[in-house]
Amino acid sequence: MTFPENYTVVDLEATGYSAQFDSIIEIGCIKFREGKEISRYESLIKPPSAIPYVVECITGIKNEMVSNFPTFSEIARELWEYLSGEIIVGHNINFDINFLYDNFKVALDMQFTNDYVDTLRLARLLLPEIKSQGHGLDRLCGYFGIEITERHRATADCLLTNELFHCLKNFAAENKIDLSKISAPKYPRFNLKEIHGNENTFDASHIFFGKNCVFTGKLEEFSRTEAAQIVANIGGYCGNTVTKTTNFLIVGDMDYRQGLNGYETSKLRKAKQLIEQKQDLKIIPESAFYDLVADYLAGE
């Protein structure tokens, strides 16, 4: 919850939302010292399986484009050294951290433990009045008048995130906001089954429409009640425990990373057992959940 002078902005593109099951296809890193860019590390990455068509449409990255580029394992050591000791800055950075953590663990058997600053979290605390419209990167660029010339490519998103970082820094300074004195509100426990949405807001094309979602672990960007209300407004519904009707288990980012090392909540353990029994159930981190609902929130 600070604005460091020296940091590296990181963004990546991937074949999906799960660090456990999907692959990185592009990474961009821009290193800054006292506000000035000093170097970049950027590369397309060849995934172990084909890039889904929907990802090609979003990113413009096609299978033939990555065919002659290295795999993550082939660049892992070089990337590790580039990021070593750096404070990482990114928008919804937990998404990227989860992928880097998992991939560095597989490629190098090393744990990625860099400190990081999330411009999404900063924006949610500094600009609570636009919460209903969402704090996605596009929405915030519009709010601050940041020109978008390219999106969903790693280096381009790094540049946008850096501009946003400085806008948030200036906003906090101009309004004399001390981040150390801002804390997320605490919410009472709530029976998620009692949360219902308005049929006028349903989106039948959304991945959560008609699906049963359950939450576990500590959520950073939403309270569980808020997250469940978003699902309900889309047309899904929520449960308190993992059952044979659960379609999505959304895991707090820290708990998601701990789960990769075997430290599992009871809900996560139960979900994995049901997946092994061929249940149509997906486990996703909170950062992926935010990405999946960001466009919906922006359109409200």
Side-chain angles (χ1 to χ4, degrees):
M1 297 304 296
T2 62
F3 293 102
E5 291 294 321
N6 302 321
Y7 56 89
T8 297
V9 182
V10 173
D11 185 82
L12 59 83
E13 304 299 330
T15 58
Y17 293 100
S18 172
Q20 195 170 8
F21 302 109
D22 297 305
S23 305
I24 299 171
I25 56 175
E26 185 179 39
I27 186 157
C29 311
I30 306 179
K31 195 169 289 187
F32 292 90
R33 293 294 181 266
E34 297 182 356
K36 296 182 179 180
E37 179 183 336
I38 64 166
S39 67
R40 295 187 182 188
Y41 183 97
E42 51 190 340
S43 179
L44 289 169
I45 296 173
K46 183 179 179 180
S49 55
I51 299 172
Y53 177 71
V54 65
V55 175
E56 288 189 343
C57 293
I58 293 171
T59 65
I61 301 173
K62 302 182 182 299
N63 286 289
E64 55 268 25
M65 292 171 58
V66 301
S67 61
N68 293 321
F69 277 84
T71 65
F72 185 89
S73 293
E74 290 170 331
I75 68 164
R77 178 62 62 178
E78 183 180 20
L79 179 60
W80 178 275
E81 292 175 356
Y82 187 82
L83 296 176
S84 179
E86 290 294 302
I87 296 174
I88 307 300
V89 172
H91 196 74
N92 196 21
I93 192 60
N94 274 298
F95 173 85
D96 309 86
I97 293 288
N98 282 333
F99 271 89
L100 290 174
Y101 183 98
D102 194 30
N103 280 270
F104 278 133
K105 183 68 176 174
V106 171
L108 303 176
D109 194 26
M110 299 172 73
Q111 293 190 8
F112 188 65
T113 59
N114 294 49
D115 289 334
Y116 59 90
V117 176
D118 189 354
T119 52
L120 169 63
R121 189 179 183 200
L122 290 172
R124 285 176 62 83
L125 291 176
L126 291 171
L127 302 168
E129 67 274 10
I130 67 169
K131 181 177 181 178
S132 63
Q133 298 170 310
H135 293 86
L137 186 57
D138 295 280
R139 172 74 180 98
L140 290 166
C141 285
Y143 182 89
F144 285 111
I146 299 170
E147 182 181 2
I148 299 175
T149 57
E150 186 178 18
R151 277 286 277 121
H152 299 298
R153 292 300 301 266
T155 301
D157 285 355
C158 282
L159 292 169
L160 290 175
T161 298
N162 187 60
E163 286 194 60
L164 173 61
F165 175 78
H166 285 285
C167 287
L168 292 169
K169 180 180 180 180
N170 293 337
F171 180 90
E174 291 167 2
N175 291 276
K176 296 180 172 58
I177 299 173
D178 184 350
L179 288 173
S180 67
K181 296 181 179 178
I182 300 179
S183 59
K186 297 186 181 299
Y187 300 91
R189 293 180 65 85
F190 197 85
N191 182 359
L192 301 189
K193 289 184 177 180
E194 296 179 358
I195 295 177
H196 302 285
N198 183 335
E199 290 187 8
N200 293 327
T201 68
F202 285 3
D203 180 359
S205 66
H206 198 279
I207 192 172
F208 292 138
F209 180 80
K211 302 298 183 180
N212 184 0
C213 299
V214 174
F215 298 89
T216 188
K218 180 182 178 182
L219 303 186
E220 295 290 338
E221 311 301 343
F222 300 99
S223 71
R224 287 193 189 182
T225 306
E226 289 176 319
Q229 188 65 64
I230 292 168
V231 171
N233 289 344
I234 288 171
Y237 48 98
C238 295
N240 298 311
T241 60
V242 174
T243 69
K244 292 183 177 180
T245 64
T246 302
N247 302 114
F248 290 94
L249 177 65
I250 296 97
V251 186
D253 281 304
M254 184 60 70
D255 294 86
Y256 184 86
R257 288 198 291 276
Q258 290 177 340
L260 296 176
N261 285 331
Y263 301 100
E264 300 174 342
T265 66
S266 59
K267 291 179 182 177
L268 184 54
R269 189 161 50 250
K270 178 65 179 297
K272 288 183 176 180
Q273 291 172 352
L274 291 172
I275 290 172
E276 290 176 357
Q277 296 169 17
K278 308 303 181 183
Q279 179 165 324
D280 181 18
L281 192 162
K282 294 180 175 60
I283 300 170
I284 61 174
E286 181 197 1
S287 49
F289 172 80
Y290 184 84
D291 273 359
L292 288 169
V293 300
D295 288 343
Y296 176 82
L297 291 174
E300 284 191 327

